[in-house]
Amino acid sequence: MTASLLPNYIAGQWVTGQGAGTPLFDPVLGTELVRVDATGLDLPEAFRFAREQGGSALRALTYRERGALLTAVGKVLQANRDAYYEISTANCGTVKNDTAVDVDGGLFTLGHFARMGETLGDQRHLLDGEAARLGKDPLFQSQHVLVPTRGVALFINAFNFPSWGLWEKAAPALLSGVPVIVKPATATAWLTQRMVQDVVNTGILPPGALSIVCGSSAGLLDQLQPFDVVSFTGSADTAAVIRSHPAVVQRSVRVNIEADSVNSALLLPASSAEDAAATLELLAKEVAREMTVKSGQKCTAIRRVLVPEALYDAAASAISARLAKTTVGNPRNEGVRMGSLVSRAQKNAVDQGLAQLMAHTEVLHDGRSAALVDADSAVGCFAAPVLLGTREPDANAVVHDVEVFGPVATLMPYRDMPQALQLIRQGQGSLVASLYGSDAAALASAALELADSHGRVHVISPDVAALHTGHGNVMPQSLHGGPGRAGGGEELGGARALGFYHRRSALQASTAVLTQTTPVT
Ligand code: NAP
């Protein structure tokens, strides 16, 4: 029996593609689940409808009213949470804890922006800074304002976060008053489609505020107009295609790119043996967790681990001991800690990347010899944790360059802090680096040294061992994105997230006029 074709939602209508569709699979059982297809969709009408109907309806609301819509959306999603867990297990191969990172992480982020709407209050624009005198007489001044862009926000998303990837972008866009068209990655589009379907069917959002196109991205970028924005998450290769697309280049379309990243974890030198043991344990715990959460399919996961030379062997043992406890297999089995990768294509990519790294490294822990729990390796798309090591990281360019999007990391020793920071910079710009130590001054200094090449620096010291939010967890309050290789994008960061969806303008006028633009709070 052919699996059902998921409908797309555009121009206020559910529309099924005219092609046979691309199948989505269960990466554990190998069974076909549903199909997606975008053939024959009237994309010009989809964008026009979103821009005109969705945009004007959203802009007519205040931030507080839009925040209330997000709260209502959150309630709908919460009510259907069990279904999302089932879809995630079936289509992404995730254990419950990993599903939570995506599903509950999405809901948490949505809630953050819903509450922000309340704080921003009954206004439809934002002031940017104070009024500034333009001449000697203070009567004529300049006041910068932020107003929602009169276009569509097109999201082209990656396969690893079908829920969080939607809501971390849609929440700030909708709160800003900008309608959304999302194109999820094909392999895991089902969860995104189902969430949009649940929200659309309740009629909470104005028509045109939220649309979804599943399947091929063909033709989407051609629709872009000057006031639209594109937020892309995925590979550097696709990012380059988007950046250079004629519609983007010729119409100055604003683009945000979140691409790949070879993130690092750095253990700072310790002042005593006890200190070294304590901070090494903090590092080992975080590295093992980051390698295995979502089977390493997190853009923020730790890929490089740097430790003082004298601690290389101890770090290898401590991380390996934790990885050895990771049971891999069918996520439906309660004894399994780590499920599968999302697809055969990802399994092939991970195997290929691992082989590339293994040609230049030693293997410190190899989980591939352990038996799968309740699963067949010939059918499922499984990857086991592998810790690699290189004792000559200066001369080993490949470990700073190849991102294996799976449960793989490389350990490396460093002589002194300048070398450690230099090695981290060989990643050419990353989403996140984490630092481990107990000397506050040394941690602060290293954090500031790395801030120019990282969107986020996560510092773990013993005093916050039980409090910190995790190297790889993206919190809505903090910036997500990174310079250089990481794509150069910026998402989240509290109210900063709204900036991408607003246009800044300087109003130059008399103080009497500018006073009228001051929002009522
Ligand atoms: P990808 O192949 O670049 O796909 C990403 C998205 O782009 C998918 O929706 C894909 O659609 C679409 N796409 C593919 N070709 C396109 C084209 N020519 N024009 C427009 N859209 C196109 O990336 P991926 O392999 O799925 O994702 C893994 C990568 O994403 C990793 O490198 C990871 O580091 C990165 N990532 C980054 C972040 C972050 O926040 N920085 C988060 C997650 C993942 P189809 O699925 O239909 O091909």
Side-chain angles (χ1 to χ4, degrees), residues 157 159-160 183 186 217 233-235 238 258-260 299 403 480:
N157 282 358
F159 64 80
N160 56 343
K183 192 224 102 60
T186 295
S217 57
T233 304
S235 64
T238 311
E258 302 289 348
D260 47 13
C299 50
E403 180 202 40
H480 175 56

Side-chain angles (χ1 to χ4, degrees), residues 156-161 164 168 183-187 215-218 221 232-239 241-242 257-261 297-300 303 346 403 405 431 480-481 486 491:
I156 300 182
N157 282 358
F159 64 80
N160 56 343
F161 281 105
W164 178 82
E168 62 107 8
K183 192 224 102 60
T186 295
S216 167
S217 57
L221 295 165
F232 168 78
T233 304
S235 64
D237 289 348
T238 311
V241 171
I242 291 174
I257 302 281
E258 302 289 348
D260 47 13
S261 175
Q297 300 168 108
K298 265 173 45 227
C299 50
T300 50
R303 310 293 181 196
Q346 280 310 303
E403 180 202 40
F405 213 63
L431 295 170
H480 175 56
E491 288 178 344

Side-chain angles (χ1 to χ4, degrees), residues 245-475:
H245 190 279
V248 170
V249 174
Q250 288 161 15
R251 296 172 198 153
S252 306
V253 172
R254 187 183 282 173
V255 175
N256 192 74
I257 302 281
E258 302 289 348
D260 47 13
S261 175
V262 191
N263 310 298
S264 9
L266 170 64
L267 178 66
L268 269 69
S271 54
S272 68
E274 292 93 55
D275 192 24
T279 50
L280 174 61
E281 207 41 44
L282 291 177
L283 171 103
K285 183 178 175 196
E286 199 62 11
V287 170
R289 195 158 67 96
E290 280 297 313
M291 285 176 69
T292 53
V293 168
K294 285 180 71 61
S295 304
Q297 300 168 108
K298 265 173 45 227
C299 50
T300 50
I302 295 169
R303 310 293 181 196
R304 296 178 293 159
V305 185
L306 293 92
V307 297
E309 271 172 348
L311 293 175
Y312 180 82
D313 292 329
S317 305
I319 299 166
S320 299
R322 286 179 176 272
L323 291 177
K325 293 183 194 151
T326 310
T327 42
V328 183
N330 190 332
R332 296 160 185 90
N333 186 310
E334 293 288 331
V336 167
R337 292 260 303 275
M338 191 173 96
S340 69
L341 300 171
V342 301
S343 66
R344 181 62 50 194
Q346 280 310 303
K347 164 75 177 146
N348 294 341
V350 166
D351 286 349
Q352 207 180 358
L354 181 58
Q356 213 180 338
L357 286 185
M358 282 173 74
H360 300 269
T361 54
E362 58 178 330
V363 177
L364 302 173
H365 172 84
D366 193 345
R368 292 174 301 170
S369 49
L372 292 175
V373 178
D374 206 5
D376 181 350
S377 61
V379 176
C381 309
F382 293 97
V386 177
L387 181 68
L388 303 170
T390 174
R391 288 173 193 270
E392 291 181 356
D394 281 321
N396 205 338
V398 74
V399 301
H400 305 291
D401 186 43
V402 173
E403 180 202 40
V404 179
F405 213 63
V408 178
T410 305
L411 180 67
M412 50 196 88
Y414 68 86
R415 285 184 305 278
D416 50 28
M417 281 300 287
Q419 188 207 11
L421 298 173
Q422 176 53 30
L423 289 171
I424 290 177
R425 289 197 186 96
Q426 284 192 42
Q428 302 290 321
S430 301
L431 295 170
V432 54
S434 51
L435 308 179
Y436 306 77
S438 53
D439 178 339
L443 287 166
S445 164
L448 287 170
E449 282 283 336
L450 293 173
D452 68 307
S453 53
H454 293 78
R456 185 160 60 84
V457 183
H458 185 80
V459 182
I460 303 182
S461 46
D463 54 334
V464 294
L467 307 175
H468 77 92
T469 47
H471 163 110
N473 281 351
V474 177
M475 303 299 289

Side-chain angles (χ1 to χ4, degrees), residues 58-81:
L58 286 170
R59 284 195 306 276
L61 303 174
T62 65
Y63 292 98
R64 177 174 283 138
E65 288 167 330
R66 290 180 217 135
L69 291 184
L70 296 184
T71 301
V73 167
K75 284 187 181 152
V76 172
L77 298 176
Q78 193 67 45
N80 291 286
R81 190 167 159 270

